């Protein structure tokens, strides 16, 4: 917050132990607490939504079925018929990130997707999983992925390192995209929020710019909701595209 | 929009971070001296795996089950509807065919009755005609007989009248044969004239 005339835009990302002494003893942070909350919210949606098991769904059941069918169609349309096998993973991944992003927009809530450690771990897991899937499906033939068909053999020394680099840079692009989007949005919210407090307290002249900052923050909240949904979708759809490459090799 | 958004936000972050970092003393995300930074990944992995197992083993199969049930139900209903439609179609075809048959039967019966009535009427007319013919013939015969008789009587009367008149006029009788002859010749001449006319 606006402490001592400076703006602490990054303090919101500091990790604290959650759940009192027990949490502190096992290094369970508020970041992990929000992971649990995000997961439980989706579980509640599925459990409460599907409890009526109605032939004609009500609102909550329609929402639960929509969440299922959206991710399922994303898997099947992007990966192909084999995508059904990866559906539970993509579902977990998509809703983990989506709820993490969306919960973070709520005041005082923590955004665990704004931590590079979390997004990097997910990206590393995705790329390792994709590679394992490709190796299990195609064996050593998988390495032909780095040497596209029809390319002159003379270009191989140049092309193969580039392909390997681009393959590995998926980890960076996937993790940094999500992390940077979430962190930048929340830092900007914090900065403009601090402007409101500082300018609002600076007397009559500051009222107008404080109001403008508040308006910007309102717009930013809307933008953040868009980014939250968009980045979760991007992460999931890119994972699907990587899986498609692994299953079909180009 | 996406290709532009990420670099723009990255640039903004890079622009904001130095100022912010100077104030706060580094990004908390990169503070690996804090054990929570690494443990959040460990706990995150544990939570993710538990969530994955809960979703894939318990929550998502429920949704799939409901969707599957609905699909089979709709499929069954559609099948039943298709069956009902085929039955209705055959029933309608049967109805139309029966209607046609009844119509044709009725026409045939009407034609038959008409023909029978006509034949009967013709027969009746024929017998009536025959009866009338015979009656007419008999009547004509009777008329002819009556006429001849009448004509015979006329001659007789004329002869008697002529005799009487001659007797009155002359005072004495006349030979009946002469009167008869005269009357006969006069009547014959008249008959011939009337026939001419």
């Amino acid at each position: 917050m606006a402490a001592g005339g400076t703006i602490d835009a990054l303090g919101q990302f500091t990790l604290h132990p959650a759940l009192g002494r027990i949490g502190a003893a096992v290094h369970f942070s508020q970041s992990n607490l929000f992971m649990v909350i995000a997961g439980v919210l989706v579980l509640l949606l599925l459990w409460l939504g599907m409890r009526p098991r109605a032939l004609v769904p009500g609102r909550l059941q329609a929402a639960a079925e929509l969440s299922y069918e959206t991710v399922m169609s994303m898997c099947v349309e992007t990966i192909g018929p084999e995508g059904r096998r990866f559906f539970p993973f993509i579902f977990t991944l998509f809703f983990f990130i989506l709820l993490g992003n969306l919960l973070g927009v709520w005041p005082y809530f923590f955004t665990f997707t704004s931590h590079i450690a979390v997004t990097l771990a997910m990206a590393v897991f995705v790329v390792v999983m994709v590679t394992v899937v490709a190796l299990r499906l195609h064996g050593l033939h998988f390495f032909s992925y780095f040497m596209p068909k029809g390319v002159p053999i003379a270009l191989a020394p140049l092309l193969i390192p580039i392909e390997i680099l681009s393959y590995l840079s998926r980890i960076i692009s996937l993790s940094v995209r999500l992390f940077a989007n979430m962190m930048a949005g929340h830092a900007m919210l914090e900065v403009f929020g601090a402007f409101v407090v500082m300018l609002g307290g600076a007397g009559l002249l500051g009222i107008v710019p404080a109001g403008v900052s508040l308006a910007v923050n309102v717009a930013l909240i809307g933008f953040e909701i868009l980014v939250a949904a968009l980045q979760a979708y991007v992460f999931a759809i890119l994972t699907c595209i990587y899986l498609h490459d692994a299953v079909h090799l180009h | 929009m996406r290709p532009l958004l990420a670099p723009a936000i990255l640039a903004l972050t890079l622009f904001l971070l130095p100022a912010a970092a100077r104030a706060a003393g580094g990004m908390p995300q990169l503070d690996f001296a804090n054990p929570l930074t690494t443990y959040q990944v460990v706990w995150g992995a544990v939570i993710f795996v538990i969530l994955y197992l809960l979703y894939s083993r318990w929550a998502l199969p429920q949704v799939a089950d409901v969707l599957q049930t609905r699909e089979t139900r709709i499929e069954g209903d559609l099948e039943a509807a298709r069956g009902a439609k085929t039955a209705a179609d055959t029933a309608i075809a049967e109805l139309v065919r029966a209607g046609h048959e009844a119509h044709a039967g009725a026409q045939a019966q009407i034609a038959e009755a008409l023909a029978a009535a006509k034949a009967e009427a013709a027969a009746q007319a024929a017998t009536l005609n025959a009866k009338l013919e015979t009656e007419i013939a008999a009547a004509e015969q009777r008329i002819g007989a009556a006429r001849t008789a009448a004509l015979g009587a006329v001659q007789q009367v004329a002869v008697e009248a002529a005799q009487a008149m001659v007797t009155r006029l002359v005072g004495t009788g006349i030979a009946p044969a002469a009167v008869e002859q005269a009357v006969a010749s006069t009547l014959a001449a008249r008959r011939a004239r009337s026939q001419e006319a």
Side-chain angles (χ1 to χ4, degrees):
Chain A
M1 285 291 151
T6 58
I7 302 170
D8 179 14
L10 301 178
Q12 59 176 322
F13 302 118
T14 312
L15 291 166
H16 301 290
L19 305 178
R21 293 235 306 268
I22 303 168
V26 295
H27 302 293
F28 192 87
S29 60
Q30 89 271 43
S31 166
N32 300 127
L33 181 63
F34 276 96
M35 291 176 188
V36 173
I37 292 171
V40 167
L41 280 178
V42 176
L43 274 179
L44 276 179
L45 169 70
L46 292 178
W47 178 53
L48 293 177
M50 298 319 287
R51 216 166 34 160
R53 304 180 60 83
L55 198 65
V56 178
R59 283 185 219 174
L60 203 60
Q61 192 182 336
E65 287 176 10
L66 189 68
S67 72
Y68 181 96
E69 283 172 337
T70 308
V71 180
M72 182 58 104
S73 68
M74 185 157 77
C75 286
V76 173
E77 279 163 25
T78 314
I79 306 173
E82 304 92 340
R84 291 181 161 272
R85 283 174 53 205
F86 304 106
F87 164 69
F89 173 71
I90 301 292
F91 185 92
T92 314
L93 190 70
F94 175 68
F95 278 98
F96 190 68
I97 298 170
L98 179 69
L99 266 288
N101 291 352
L102 284 176
L103 282 174
V105 184
W106 204 271
Y108 297 105
F109 281 19
F110 188 81
T111 322
F112 56 81
T113 43
S114 68
H115 266 251
I116 182 74
V118 175
T119 61
L120 189 66
M122 289 193 291
V124 167
F125 180 78
V126 164
V127 170
V128 168
M129 182 191 74
V130 165
T131 312
V132 167
V133 165
L135 279 172
R136 272 179 62 174
L137 280 178
H138 302 287
L140 291 177
H141 188 64
F142 158 69
F143 292 103
S144 73
Y145 184 78
F146 299 114
M147 183 62 198
K149 276 198 187 82
V151 176
I153 202 83
L155 277 177
L158 188 66
L159 202 66
I160 289 172
I162 291 175
E163 285 285 331
I164 292 174
L165 205 63
S166 88
Y167 190 83
L168 290 176
S169 70
R170 286 172 174 182
I171 297 173
I172 307 297
S173 66
L174 209 55
S175 60
V176 170
R177 184 184 298 112
L178 178 58
F179 151 72
N181 268 291
M182 298 321 293
M183 179 179 165
H186 284 78
M188 285 207 306
L189 277 177
E190 177 77 51
V191 167
F192 281 99
F195 280 169
V196 175
V197 176
M198 287 159 78
L199 293 165
L204 213 59
L205 267 178
I207 294 289
V208 172
V212 171
S213 300
L214 187 63
V216 168
N217 241 5
V218 170
L220 272 178
I221 289 279
F223 185 67
E224 275 306 294
I225 293 172
L226 170 75
V227 169
L230 193 69
Q231 288 307 319
Y233 181 73
V234 166
F235 202 103
I237 200 85
L238 280 175
T239 306
C240 286
I241 290 170
Y242 297 158
L243 278 169
H244 171 266
D245 284 356
V247 172
H248 299 286
L249 285 188
H250 291 295
Chain B
M1 185 187 164
R2 207 172 11 92
L4 281 174
L5 192 67
I9 288 174
L10 253 177
L12 196 65
T13 317
L14 291 177
F15 166 76
L16 276 172
L17 280 184
R22 201 171 55 238
M27 282 165 64
Q29 287 98 322
L30 299 178
D31 178 15
F32 285 100
N34 186 350
L36 288 175
T37 309
T38 40
Y39 269 97
Q40 103 174 303
V41 175
V42 175
W43 277 114
V46 170
I47 292 163
F48 194 92
V49 168
I50 291 171
L51 285 178
Y52 174 80
L53 291 176
L54 280 173
Y55 290 152
S56 62
R57 298 280 157 82
W58 177 71
L60 293 177
Q62 288 182 28
V63 187
D65 189 37
V66 168
L67 292 179
Q68 185 64 43
T69 310
R70 181 176 308 149
E71 202 171 314
T72 45
R73 172 79 183 271
I74 287 171
E75 206 54 49
D77 284 3
L78 278 178
E79 202 56 50
R82 266 185 230 116
K85 188 176 182 309
T86 335
D89 282 349
T90 50
I92 285 171
E94 182 77 15
L95 184 70
V96 167
R97 205 172 52 77
H100 279 308
E101 260 171 27
H103 193 244
Q107 289 286 24
Q109 272 188 349
I110 288 170
E112 203 177 303
L114 211 58
K118 269 184 189 165
E120 199 181 334
Q124 270 183 356
T127 49
L128 196 63
N129 275 352
K131 201 172 146 195
L132 286 177
E133 291 285 326
T134 53
E135 270 176 21
I136 285 168
E140 269 174 0
Q141 226 166 2
R142 275 202 310 276
I143 288 168
R147 203 168 160 205
T148 343
L151 279 178
V154 164
Q155 202 166 357
Q156 186 75 27
V157 167
V159 169
E160 278 171 14
Q163 258 177 335
M165 277 195 297
V166 168
T167 312
R168 273 277 186 88
L169 283 172
V170 185
T172 175
I174 191 170
V179 177
E180 258 175 47
Q181 199 187 350
V183 167
S185 69
T186 312
L187 278 175
R190 239 185 231 181
R191 213 175 285 158
R193 237 187 300 147
S194 74
Q195 272 174 0
E196 270 171 32

